[in-house]
Amino acid sequence: MTRSCLVALFGAVALAVSLPAAAGAQDVPRTPWGDPDLQGTYTNKTITPLERPEALGDKAFLTDEEVSAQEQARVDRNRELLLAPPRRTVAGGNVGAYNNFWLDGGTRPTRRTSLIVDPPNGRLPARTAEAAKLKMAHDEAHPAAGPYESWADLELNDRCLVWSAGPPMLPSAYNNNFIVAQTPGYVAIYVEMIHDVRIIPLDGREHVPTGIRQWLGDSRGRWEGDTLVVETTNLRRTSAHAGAAGGDPILLRMANGRTDDTITVTERFTRVDATTLNYEFTIEDPTHWTAPFSGEFPFTAFPADELPFLYEYACHEGNYSMPNILGGERALERAAALQ
């Protein structure tokens, strides 16, 4: 979607929601055409981990005291890192990544001990024997430290192709903001990370043929009561490590030698109150995991007078890591040739 089309879509939505609500509206706010109104600018940032720490066993929820303690610990950590004196990295050593100033994962947990809620242990199910074998072979052939023959050996986020647009829409280290817009027959979700837009039709159309793959998959939505249910198939696979949200262990798109279409992601969006959308996801891929698994966490709306300005995330334009990584590999090759 071009910038002009996106502006037109959001402009049309802004006009639509300024109209009087449809007659007979229930407790859930509704659009002028009668659908539940999910629109707003949200963040899904949280310090709750994807998987429950094994030490917590079957403990699914935190106490109020534990929530306060975790939040205070994160606030204290952020303050300590902000006030810490600068340190010079050792020449030739690991230069590290962004410092904490640039990260924005929030300070609050969700009260759950993990984003994953099923299996009940809050952890990812085991890989299938085939997936485990193929992943091992892939990791041996493409170690994280390289070598990188070309751009094709790098992850999709390194290449600025896919981050956390979804599905599933998992929290990331920064840029965790989303705009939900609606028109009759469509829901659009604008994602701050790489400024991706998911356009979700609600008219009951079939998925595109399985041979047509897309980075964000092919999404189809429907209403179940006041809940928006979105089913996504046709996710494009790649031989590179390609997590759902950067380095997360949910490797939806890693082909490992497979090219068939076996991934289905089902998402559910339910307005809980004026400031909260409850977000649920279920992932099924019988070629990769021994069982489906699900997660749940809130999206929190910004107040109307505190809306963030979502700058364009110019990932490709500012992607210095790609030429630097590949340039470093070529320099290592030249040095090896001289020995």
Side-chain angles (χ1 to χ4, degrees):
M1 175 177 283
T2 64
R3 183 186 301 273
S4 58
C5 289
L6 186 60
V7 169
L9 172 62
F10 288 136
V13 169
L15 176 62
V17 298
S18 67
L19 299 175
Q26 304 300 313
D27 292 338
V28 174
R30 297 189 178 274
T31 63
W33 53 94
D35 288 341
D37 192 342
L38 307 181
Q39 297 171 110
T41 301
Y42 298 90
T43 181
N44 69 350
K45 62 185 179 183
T46 178
I47 63 174
T48 299
L50 177 68
E51 294 187 273
R52 183 182 307 156
E54 291 183 341
L56 294 180
D58 295 331
K59 181 172 181 163
F61 292 93
L62 300 171
T63 65
D64 290 344
E65 292 76 14
E66 288 169 329
V67 168
S68 297
Q70 285 195 8
E71 182 173 18
Q72 187 61 53
R74 181 55 61 97
V75 170
D76 292 343
R77 175 181 178 272
N78 289 346
R79 182 184 299 111
E80 178 183 350
L81 292 174
L82 178 65
L83 300 177
R87 292 183 297 120
R88 183 180 297 275
T89 54
V90 178
N94 180 8
V95 297
Y98 299 141
N99 63 28
N100 197 62
F101 174 84
W102 301 102
L103 305 182
D104 186 26
T107 60
R108 287 191 62 80
T110 65
R111 292 189 178 275
R112 291 186 180 273
T113 54
S114 62
L115 301 183
I116 291 178
V117 298
D118 186 47
N121 66 1
R123 301 187 63 80
L124 290 168
R127 288 189 176 92
T128 63
E130 176 195 21
K133 179 179 178 181
L134 290 172
K135 184 179 186 307
M136 183 179 298
H138 177 277
D139 291 350
E140 290 177 353
H142 302 280
Y148 301 108
E149 296 293 334
S150 75
W151 49 266
D153 294 325
L154 292 161
E155 298 185 23
L156 296 185
N157 53 341
D158 291 323
R159 294 157 59 185
C160 290
L161 292 176
V162 172
W163 270 81
S164 51
M169 296 161 61
L170 296 176
S172 187
Y174 53 89
N175 287 1
N176 289 307
N177 298 322
F178 303 80
I179 298 175
V180 178
Q182 293 170 249
T183 60
Y186 288 90
V187 173
I189 303 176
Y190 173 86
V191 187
E192 185 178 21
M193 186 66 83
I194 312 192
H195 51 275
D196 275 320
V197 181
R198 297 173 64 192
I199 306 295
I200 304 167
L202 308 175
D203 56 7
R205 70 183 67 179
E206 297 292 328
H207 285 287
V208 299
T210 58
I212 301 175
R213 307 294 178 82
Q214 303 175 81
W215 290 124
L216 304 184
D218 183 54
S219 295
R220 298 289 182 263
R222 66 182 185 275
W223 294 103
E224 290 186 0
D226 293 330
T227 295
L228 173 65
V229 180
V230 179
E231 180 185 84
T232 301
T233 61
N234 298 67
L235 282 159
R236 182 174 179 179
R237 292 184 183 268
T238 173
S239 60
H241 286 69
D248 284 318
I250 300 181
L251 300 175
L252 288 186
R253 302 172 180 85
M254 190 165 66
N256 286 333
R258 298 196 69 103
T259 58
D260 47 339
D261 185 17
T262 61
I263 306 168
T264 300
V265 183
T266 304
E267 302 165 283
R268 302 174 69 87
F269 301 79
T270 307
R271 181 176 285 281
V272 176
D273 54 39
T275 61
T276 310
L277 282 184
N278 191 55
Y279 177 71
E280 304 168 81
F281 69 88
T282 297
I283 296 175
E284 301 174 79
D285 185 357
T287 69
H288 195 108
W289 287 287
T290 54
F293 59 95
S294 301
E296 181 178 4
F297 52 95
F299 279 51
T300 303
F302 290 91
D305 58 349
E306 297 180 17
L307 295 179
F309 189 88
L310 304 190
Y311 291 93
E312 179 180 358
Y313 187 61
C315 190
H316 275 289
E317 296 84 344
N319 191 359
Y320 302 108
S321 66
M322 283 288 292
N324 289 344
I325 290 171
L326 297 178
E329 288 293 327
R330 304 293 82 81
L332 290 174
E333 291 169 355
R334 288 193 294 273
L338 295 175
Q339 293 179 355

